[in-house]
Structures are given as C-alpha cells and as structure tokens.
Amino acid sequence: MSGPGERGRGLGERASGERRSSGSWGEVRPFSIKTKLGALVVISVLITTGLSMIAVHTKTELRFITVFSMIATLLITQFVAHSLTAPLDEMNAVARSIWHGDYTRRVRDDRRDELGDLAQTINLMADELEAQDRQRKELVANVSHELRTPIAGLRAVLENVVDGVSAADPETMRTALKQTERLGRLVETLLDLSRLDNGVVPLRRRRFEVWPYLSGVLKEANMVASARADLTSGSGGGHTRKDVHLHLDVSPPELTAHADPERIHQVVANLIDNAVKHSPPHGRVTVRARRGDLPESLALEVLDEGPGIPKSEWHRVFERFNRGGVPAPHGPGSDGGTGLGLAIARWAVDLHGGRIGVAESQRGCRIQVILPGLPSLPS
C-alpha cells in the first residue's frame, strides 16, 4: 500500500515527466499551445497577404485593407485566447476552492494540450489533499478513542478510591497502574510514528551480527510479555501471554547485516508483539533471518500459528489503527493492541528503502521484511 509520501513522489514524477515531454520544439504535439500560437501567426500573415493582393488587383485603398486585416486578426486572436484562458479561469476557481478546504471540485481534463496536462496534475493534487485531509480526521478520531479508554478506566479507579467505594490497596493500585502503562505505551507509539512521519529520525546504519542481535530482541520481548502478564494477573484481568513460545532461526549462524539497529528493533519487536497477540494458547512464533540478494542485505520473516490474515486484507494490515478482520479476542490476555505497531514497522522499513508485506503461508500469518543492506556504489 502506498502512503501519502509515495503518492506525492508519484505525482511529482508524473508532473516532471509531462514537463519534459513538452519541453522542446522537437516534441510539439498536434494540439499543443505552441502549435495553436504558431497557427495563429500563420493565419494572420495569410489574411494580411491575401487582403493586400486583393487591394492591388482591385485598387482598393491601403487603409481599408489595414482595417479589415486588423479586425480579422483580432477576431481570430480573441477566439484562440478564449480557448486558452477559459480553462485557466476554471483552474483558478478550483484552486481557490481547495484553498478554502473544499477538495471535492475537479478540473475538466479532456483537453489534449499542456492545459490538459496541468488539469490532470491539479486533479491529482486535489485527490492527494483530499486523502490526507480524510486521514487527518480519521487519525484525530482514532487517537481520541484510543486515549479515552485508558483515561476512563484510570479515572474510574481513582474516583472509587476518593469516594471510598474501594480502598487504595495493592490490587486497586495495580489496576490503575495497568491503565497508566497502556496510556504510556500508546503515547510513546504515537510519538514514534510522528517522528517517522516528519523524517526527524535519522538512520544510523552499521554492520552487526544478526544472531546475537535478534536473540536480544527476543529476550526483551519475553521480558516485556512477562511484565505485562504479571501486571494483568495481579489486577485480576484475563490470562497471561507467557504461553507463546518464541523461536529464532538464523542461517548461517555468522550472518551479518547493515542497517540501523534501533529502527530494526522497532520492526522486529512490533512484529513479534503482533504475532504473539494473534497466537493460539501455547502457540509458537518464529523469527527467521536469511541472507538477502545484495551484500549485507537481510531477509526477515515473522511467522505465527494464529488464524492468519484474509488475502483481501493484506493491503490494509499496515494502515494506522487497523486491527484486521480477525474477531477478538486474538488470544488469552490479548486486547488487540492499538493498531499502530505494523504501521510503525512499515515506516521504519521504508526509511531503509526496504520492503515489508504479508506472504503466503500454510498456517497462521507470515510477514516478510527485506532490507537492502549496503548502498549500491555508483558505477
């Protein structure tokens, strides 16, 4: 799925390609503005020459011929000018509507000249702005919903303590702490996503050994899962997720890669977290690493044994706040998450110039990540 930035790059490439295609006289199209202006000059000269020849043969005074020639030239010029300025007026009106926040209007793009190309570019820009405005509204609504749930839970716990309904015992405090932890994770995730969107997260690529690196990521994921499970069980809610077994498969064992370890940590940790949430009781999540096609490149896979993702949903799994079509609960102790982990994983992979996507799997879900490794040297 292409994001706003990718659509923007595509729009710029298309526009620049159109400018290149009409930038020289050797590539003038039959209906281009250059052709029309050239035809206007030729017709004006022919009219003036014809009237002058008529004046010579009929002995008509030159001043009458001059007046008739000017009138005919002005009429033709007015016709051509109207055909050029009318679409510009329409484009100006559409641009003003976009400026005022109305992204529904479009320019007629049925012309076969440079103005038709400009109309198509304006329509593409309007489509992009409309999509971004819709995503912004959806983001505000979704963030408000996600923040409201833990805040409401925390407020309810504190109100009960203040009103004397429940005592400030360790169990009650664990419940409040659980909501606070959930709120903190959501805010941290949103901050990460904001940094990635704004491009303020620099890539610090370096060479590292894959096996010890991924072993550390899996160990940390186990510790986080255990902490969450203890907190959940201590507050009296749900079962634990310590029943899911994490397995690491790296071949060859001395495999190395060239990437930003911090960003790749985000990718792997979010993919593992998503796989664990969708795993069945006592399921297995496998993190597989292989050498890519290019020097120091890396091919990662995260596989689970859950219900999998319908093929019709593959293009949507990396959208923000998308939890997929799998009915909840995904597993014991799973709340379904915020729907931001896979979006962050995609943006981190995009920063590396890599690829991430859902792949065919006989069982569960299989997500592939391809990292390009060392940048190619110019030949």
Side-chain angles (χ1 to χ4, degrees):
M1 187 196 72
S2 58
E6 293 167 348
R7 291 194 296 269
R9 288 193 296 270
L11 174 61
E13 291 170 357
R14 175 171 178 178
S16 61
E18 290 168 348
R19 287 193 296 269
R20 287 194 299 269
S21 65
S22 60
S24 62
W25 281 100
E27 299 177 351
V28 172
R29 293 172 292 183
F31 299 97
S32 69
I33 295 178
K34 295 178 181 179
T35 303
K36 293 176 182 178
L37 294 177
L40 174 62
V41 174
V42 171
I43 292 173
S44 300
V45 171
L46 290 177
I47 290 176
T48 303
T49 303
L51 291 177
S52 299
M53 294 179 63
I54 293 175
V56 171
H57 287 85
T58 60
K59 298 181 180 180
T60 306
E61 292 186 15
L62 184 60
R63 58 182 178 177
F64 294 113
I65 297 300
T66 302
V67 172
F68 290 148
S69 176
M70 292 177 60
I71 293 175
T73 302
L74 287 175
L75 290 176
I76 297 175
T77 302
Q78 179 65 22
F79 174 77
V80 175
H82 177 73
S83 68
L84 297 179
T85 57
L88 291 176
D89 293 336
E90 182 184 7
M91 294 176 193
N92 185 44
V94 172
R96 287 182 177 273
S97 298
I98 294 175
W99 179 54
H100 288 292
D102 180 11
Y103 306 110
T104 59
R105 295 189 59 181
R106 297 294 184 269
V107 183
R108 288 182 300 174
D109 55 358
D110 53 352
R111 296 176 63 96
R112 301 171 62 184
D113 54 12
E114 291 85 350
L115 292 178
D117 295 339
L118 179 59
Q120 292 178 3
T121 302
I122 290 177
N123 290 339
L124 288 173
M125 180 188 68
D127 292 339
E128 172 71 14
L129 292 174
E130 184 178 16
Q132 289 187 3
D133 183 65
R134 182 174 60 253
Q135 291 175 357
R136 178 182 59 82
K137 292 178 180 177
E138 292 175 354
L139 179 63
V140 172
N142 288 326
V143 168
S144 300
H145 173 75
E146 293 294 335
L147 291 175
R148 182 175 56 195
T149 302
I151 290 176
L154 182 60
R155 179 179 179 180
V157 172
L158 296 179
E159 284 181 347
N160 289 338
V161 173
V162 172
D163 295 338
V165 178
S166 60
D169 53 20
E171 184 177 353
T172 303
M173 291 298 98
R174 287 193 192 98
T175 303
L177 181 60
K178 176 186 174 183
Q179 299 299 333
T180 306
E181 291 285 344
R182 183 180 177 189
L183 183 61
R185 289 197 302 270
L186 177 60
V187 172
E188 183 179 355
T189 302
L190 290 172
L191 288 175
D192 287 340
L193 193 62
S194 176
R195 296 188 192 103
L196 290 171
D197 276 347
N198 295 327
V200 298
V201 180
L203 282 181
R204 296 181 175 89
R205 303 175 190 255
R206 64 176 178 85
R207 182 176 178 270
F208 60 90
E209 296 183 5
V210 176
W211 176 273
Y213 172 76
L214 291 181
S215 296
V217 177
L218 264 67
K219 182 181 295 185
E220 182 178 331
N222 273 321
M223 293 174 59
V224 171
S226 298
R228 291 181 184 176
D230 292 340
L231 184 62
T232 302
S233 60
S235 60
H239 301 280
T240 70
R241 286 267 68 192
K242 292 188 288 186
D243 60 324
V244 178
H245 175 63
L246 302 182
H247 176 67
L248 180 60
D249 177 14
V250 178
S251 180
E254 66 276 8
L255 179 64
T256 61
H258 189 270
D260 185 336
E262 289 296 326
R263 302 283 76 79
I264 302 306
H265 185 283
Q266 283 182 303
V267 175
V268 179
N270 282 318
L271 292 181
I272 292 175
D273 185 64
N274 183 75
V276 168
K277 288 175 181 176
H278 291 79
S279 292
H282 307 287
R284 177 181 176 131
V285 172
T286 302
V287 179
R288 184 178 298 160
R290 296 292 184 269
R291 181 176 287 114
D293 298 330
L294 300 175
E296 302 290 341
S297 61
L298 183 63
L300 288 172
E301 290 184 351
V302 177
L303 306 91
D304 62 55
E305 298 176 343
I309 302 174
K311 205 163 188 176
S312 59
E313 295 288 324
W314 283 11
H315 67 289
R316 297 187 63 246
V317 296
F318 298 101
E319 292 179 358
R320 302 173 190 182
F321 298 101
N322 175 57
R323 295 185 178 91
V326 180
H330 307 302
S334 171
D335 62 357
T338 62
L340 287 171
L342 292 183
I344 290 179
R346 184 193 66 180
W347 282 103
V349 173
D350 287 345
L351 284 176
H352 285 80
R355 303 191 309 273
I356 184 172
V358 185
E360 293 281 357
S361 179
Q362 295 181 353
R363 182 182 181 185
C365 175
R366 174 168 160 245
I367 295 184
Q368 286 183 327
V369 176
I370 305 296
L371 300 175
L374 289 173
S376 57
L377 298 176
S379 56

